[in-house]
C-alpha cells in the first residue's frame, strides 16, 4: 500500500496532541498524565484522541517512533570515504532537525518514566550509523574494539546532546557540532 499523505486536519490534530503531551510532561510525571488532561490541553475531545491512539503510552510511543524515523532519514545519506570522513555535514543536518524539534526531544529525553525511551532509540540509530561508517572506512578489522568505539561514540553523542538540550543556551548548536565532529573523528578514525 502506498503511503498516503495525511490530511492537514489530521496532522494538526496530532500536532496539538503531541504538544499537549509535551507540555504536561514538563509539569508532571508521564505516568500521572491522563487522556482527559491531554485532550483538555489540546482543546480536543476524547473521541478524537482515541481515533488516533489507544492511550497515553501509545501516543508517546508513536511520537518517539516518528522522531526516530525522521532522525534516521536526516542522517541516512551520510556516506564517508577514506579521503573525506568528516561527520560535519551529517551533524549539521542532524542538529538542524533537533533544533526544529527541540522542545519535544528535550522533553522526551528528560522524562525517564518509560525506560530510556527516546534516548535509547536515538542511541541505536547512532550506533547503526557508526557501524556503517566503520564498515565503509574498513575500520572494523579490530573486532570487539570496534564495538566499544561505537558504544563510546554513540553514548558520548547522546550525552552531549542531552546536556545541550537541558542546559538551554549554554552553547550554540554550531559549537556543539564542532565539538562532536572533532571527538567523533578522533574516536572512529584512530
Amino acid at each position: 500500500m502506498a503511503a498516503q499523505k495525511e490530511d492537514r486536519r489530521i496532522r494538526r490534530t496530532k500536532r496539538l496532541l503531541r504538544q499537549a503531551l509535551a507540555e504536561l510532561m514538563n509539569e508532571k510525571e508521564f505516568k500521572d498524565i491522563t487522556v482527559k488532561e491531554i485532550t483538555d490541553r489540546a482543546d480536543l475531545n476524547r473521541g478524537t484522541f482515541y481515533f488516533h491512539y489507544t492511550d497515553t503510552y501509545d501516543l508517546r510511543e508513536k511520537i518517539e517512533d516518528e522522531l526516530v524515523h525522521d532522525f534516521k532519514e536526516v542522517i541516512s545519506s551520510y556516506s564517508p570515504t577514506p579521503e573525506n570522513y568528516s561527520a560535519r555535514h551529517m551533524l549539521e543536518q542532524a542538529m538542524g532537525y533537533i533544533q526544529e524539534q527541540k522542545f519535544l526531544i528535550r522533553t522526551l529525553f528528560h522524562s525517564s518514566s518509560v525506560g530510556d525511551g527516546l534516548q535509547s532509540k536515538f542511541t541505536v540509530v547512532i550506533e547503526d550509523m557508526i557501524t556503517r561508517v566503520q564498515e565503509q572506512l574498513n575500520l572494523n578489522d579490530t573486532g570487539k574494539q570496534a564495538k566499544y568505539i561505537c558504544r563510546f561514540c554513540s553514548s558520548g553523542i547522546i550525552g552531549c546532546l542531552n546536556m545541550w538540550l537541558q542546559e538551554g543556551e549554554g552553547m550554540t548548536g554550531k559549537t556543539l557540532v564542532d565539538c562532536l565532529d572533532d571527538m567523533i573523528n578522533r574516536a572512529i578514525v584512530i
Side-chain angles (χ1 to χ4, degrees):
M1 182 171 119
Q4 294 180 352
K5 191 166 182 139
E6 276 186 327
D7 179 275
R8 183 173 36 175
R9 291 169 297 176
I10 293 172
R11 287 192 315 266
R12 179 184 176 278
T13 297
K14 288 182 175 181
R15 185 181 69 246
L16 289 171
L17 292 169
R18 285 190 296 263
Q19 182 69 26
L21 177 63
E23 289 173 4
L24 288 164
M25 286 175 67
N26 278 301
E27 297 170 12
K28 59 195 296 187
E29 291 291 321
F30 174 75
K31 66 180 178 56
D32 297 328
I33 297 172
T34 66
V35 170
K36 181 172 180 4
E37 289 173 313
I38 294 169
T39 56
D40 285 351
R41 178 75 57 106
D43 197 23
L44 297 168
N45 66 51
R46 287 170 45 140
T48 301
F49 178 93
Y50 288 116
F51 181 76
H52 298 287
Y53 308 102
T54 57
D55 57 21
T56 57
Y57 290 89
D58 184 42
L59 171 59
R60 180 180 173 143
E61 186 72 23
K62 287 185 175 155
I63 292 169
E64 289 178 355
D65 290 347
E66 182 180 315
L67 289 168
V68 169
H69 175 269
D70 293 347
F71 184 66
K72 272 186 197 176
E73 290 292 312
V74 167
I75 67 172
S76 68
S77 64
Y78 177 57
S79 185
T81 63
E83 298 80 33
N84 182 19
Y85 55 80
S86 174
R88 179 172 303 283
H89 181 68
M90 182 268 308
L91 289 168
E92 289 169 343
Q93 289 179 311
M95 182 57 71
Y97 173 72
I98 290 165
Q99 287 177 316
E100 287 174 14
Q101 300 294 332
K102 189 174 183 177
F103 178 72
L104 195 53
I105 292 172
R106 178 180 55 229
T107 299
L108 291 168
F109 267 34
H110 182 67
S111 174
S112 60
S113 57
V114 182
D116 291 333
L118 190 61
Q119 284 190 54
S120 177
K121 293 174 184 179
F122 269 39
T123 300
V124 169
V125 171
I126 292 168
E127 284 184 357
D128 289 346
M129 187 267 306
I130 291 170
T131 299
R132 184 174 53 84
V133 167
Q134 288 173 324
E135 290 168 359
Q136 286 177 318
L137 297 176
N138 295 319
L139 299 173
N140 263 348
D141 57 351
T142 58
K144 288 188 178 188
Q145 183 180 0
K147 290 181 183 181
Y148 283 93
I149 291 170
C150 181
R151 177 59 53 94
F152 176 79
C153 288
S154 62
S155 297
I157 290 168
I158 290 297
C160 290
L161 179 59
N162 192 23
M163 182 182 292
W164 179 79
L165 287 167
Q166 301 309 321
E167 287 185 351
E169 302 302 317
M171 176 185 283
T172 66
K174 183 191 177 315
T175 303
L176 180 60
V177 166
D178 292 342
C179 291
L180 288 174
D181 185 45
D182 182 53
M183 289 185 280
I184 290 167
N185 288 332
R186 288 174 191 246
I188 292 180
V189 188
I190 294 179

